[in-house]
Amino acid sequence: MSQPIIKDINHVAIIMDGNGRWAEARGLERLEGHMRGARMVKKIVRASKTLGVKNLTLYAFSTENWNRSKKEVSGLMSLFRRYILAESADMLAEGVRMKFIGQRDQLDDKLVSLMNWIEDQTADNTALQLTIALNYGGRDELVRASRKMAVAVQEGQLRPEDITEETVSSFLDTAGTPDPDLVIRTSGEYRTSNFLPWQSSYAEYAFINESWPDFTVALYEQAISNFRARERRFGSVIGK
Ligand code: FPP
């Protein structure tokens, strides 16, 4: 068995792009691509544990994705429901904690109940935190956080002069989760698409040409080992 490449990478975030094109190139329905994508999710969750990744965040549905056809949107929602139901036992057995970020208000009640249920069930797990960004948009998250901060100021719980970067972070959906070290995007697009803009200010990016259904554990390991090989300076002088 190969040795884990790294034991201490704190947080990897992935933009799982290219499912639709993968399917269309094969004359299949776009949903078929998402279903293949869901299989890849399972493999990458398992590999993350082996590789010592402590937090994995996956961009599953953006605030912009509502513009897709009704059929594709409802197919994706049903896929998310099935994923939670099918994976709950393994997540419990493997110590995976599951969380969701994004707006829940617009999601259907059945899905929201399952999301709340799996978050509760896995709340004490510590081997890996799997965060799914569902109906998530980075700007939307910042707007919602700003509103919450404004209410806290209005109610006298927060003074404007006391607002720091840490305060802002604590009002985001990701409060309590460390910032991503590495953001991976598949399918050869060089965009960040409103994914964790505040949290990824110092992250490294890896752009992979393969579409998400064609992503592999080997490519994942490679991206992580490339990340380790690069020096991260955080804007300061090396060695300081
Ligand atoms: C982007 O590819 C992918 C999505 C909008 C959906 C991602 C969802 C999954 C991988 C399904 C399983 C997820 C979980 C968490 C169970 P795209 O459709 O935008 O690809 P395209 O750019 O080729 O059209």
Side-chain angles (χ1 to χ4, degrees), residues 2 10 43 102 104 201 210 217 226:
S2 66
N10 229 346
K43 287 188 192 160
R104 298 188 192 197
S201 298
E210 247 58 57
V217 171
N226 289 349

Side-chain angles (χ1 to χ4, degrees), residues 18-108:
N19 296 343
R21 274 167 288 165
W22 180 93
E24 281 163 10
R26 287 158 182 80
L28 302 168
E29 296 258 358
R30 292 177 59 84
L31 252 172
E32 196 67 40
H34 297 314
M35 285 184 317
R36 288 293 288 252
R39 278 199 235 164
M40 188 50 61
V41 167
K42 290 184 204 178
K43 287 188 192 160
I44 295 305
V45 170
R46 200 162 304 131
S48 297
K49 261 189 72 181
T50 316
L51 292 164
V53 173
K54 299 301 290 175
N55 292 273
L56 174 68
T57 300
L58 302 176
Y59 205 3
F61 194 88
S62 75
T63 46
E64 289 79 29
N65 285 151
W66 294 107
N67 297 327
R68 299 192 172 199
S69 73
K70 265 200 177 137
K71 187 176 173 194
E72 185 171 350
V73 170
S74 69
L76 274 166
M77 296 300 155
S78 135
L79 187 56
F80 300 141
R81 286 196 300 267
R82 292 203 305 274
Y83 178 83
I84 295 171
L85 283 169
E87 292 306 301
S88 58
D90 278 1
M91 279 189 228
L92 282 168
E94 291 181 24
V96 177
R97 177 177 192 182
M98 198 169 182
K99 280 194 166 191
F100 292 89
I101 55 171
Q103 274 214 54
R104 298 188 192 197
D105 299 1
Q106 293 153 290
L107 301 172
D108 81 64

